[in-house]
């Protein structure tokens, strides 16, 4: 293995925001189901409020499960954006590959239809830009820019 990186959503401010948002329906459940007062001007039914809260916490939990994993060895690049995408690319199929600053592409996660192709990122604005011989392209975000550049040199790419 020449390169391995695993990234996750561990930005403190993101978790403060997500937990803060998660507390709102908890307060709504407390107010509406326990105290017996309507929550909001147009309150959901009790079942609707509970369903909304469950869905919201599933989405928040998903942020905790998401991982961007990149592995590069002498023959291929393996990338997974768990639990959504897995890619395996043989180095023989790569036309160009370089570490770039892709700027802000509308947020983090999976960004489709950018000028770089699909961008897979968790944080930051640096990534491995890959163009395949068939013309398709994508970027895998990285927090290990220097190490990745070094690996590309050893692979003569």
């Amino acid at each position: 293995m020449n390169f391995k990186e695993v990234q996750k959503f561990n930005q403190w401010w993101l978790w403060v925001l997500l937990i803060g948002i998660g507390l709102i329906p908890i307060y709504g459940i407390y107010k509406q189901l326990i105290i017996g007062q309507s929550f909001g001007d147009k309150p959901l039914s009790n079942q609707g409020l509970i369903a909304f809260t469950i869905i919201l916490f599933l989405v928040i939990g998903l942020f905790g499960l998401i991982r961007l994993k990149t592995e590069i060895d002498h023959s291929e690049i393996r990338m997974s954006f768990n639990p959504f995408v897995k890619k395996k690319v043989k180095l023989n199929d790569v036309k160009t590959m370089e570490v770039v600053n892709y700027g802000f592409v509308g947020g983090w996660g999976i960004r489709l239809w950018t000028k770089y192709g699909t961008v897979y990122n968790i944080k930051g604005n640096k990534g491995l830009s890959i163009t395949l011989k068939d013309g398709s392209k994508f970027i895998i975000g990285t927090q290990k820019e220097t190490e990745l550049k070094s690996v590309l040199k050893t692979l003569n790419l």
Side-chain angles (χ1 to χ4, degrees):
M1 186 65 54
N2 294 323
F3 179 82
K4 183 174 182 176
E5 180 178 17
V6 178
Q7 299 177 64
K8 59 184 178 176
F9 286 112
N10 60 3
Q11 300 93 320
W12 67 268
W13 58 267
L14 176 64
W15 288 102
V16 168
L17 180 66
L18 289 173
I19 291 169
I21 290 170
L23 291 176
I24 295 169
I26 295 294
Y27 174 70
I29 287 174
Y30 169 75
K31 187 173 181 183
Q32 192 163 306
L33 274 67
I34 296 174
I35 296 177
Q37 297 175 357
S38 296
F39 178 63
D41 294 336
K42 296 180 181 177
L44 289 171
S45 66
N46 291 346
Q47 296 86 353
L49 186 56
I50 292 168
F52 173 77
T53 303
I54 290 169
I55 291 168
L56 181 62
F57 275 91
L58 288 173
V59 170
I60 291 171
L62 183 62
F63 273 86
L65 295 175
I66 292 174
R67 301 283 184 272
L68 175 58
K69 184 176 179 181
T70 308
E71 296 177 332
I72 302 173
D73 63 25
H74 64 281
S75 64
E76 67 184 7
I77 303 162
R78 290 176 297 284
M79 183 278 301
S80 62
F81 197 94
N82 287 331
F84 304 109
V85 176
K86 287 188 178 189
K87 280 183 174 282
K88 208 183 265 193
V89 176
K90 298 282 184 198
L91 291 180
N92 292 339
D93 295 332
V94 174
K95 180 178 177 183
T96 62
M97 188 163 48
E98 65 179 323
V99 177
V100 298
N101 180 334
Y102 54 83
F104 184 74
V105 291
W108 294 313
I110 300 172
R111 297 289 163 245
L112 306 171
W113 306 295
T114 73
K115 70 180 182 178
Y116 303 103
T118 302
V119 176
Y120 304 94
N121 64 352
I122 295 285
K123 57 184 165 186
N125 59 5
K126 306 280 192 302
L128 179 61
S129 176
I130 300 168
T131 302
L132 301 178
K133 290 177 181 173
D134 69 6
S136 61
K137 48 189 182 173
F138 61 97
I139 287 183
I140 306 169
T142 186
Q143 298 299 301
K144 297 182 174 182
E145 175 185 8
T146 305
E147 186 180 335
L148 190 52
K149 284 180 179 179
S150 176
V151 167
L152 294 184
K153 284 181 185 176
T154 63
L155 293 172
N156 295 319
L157 295 169

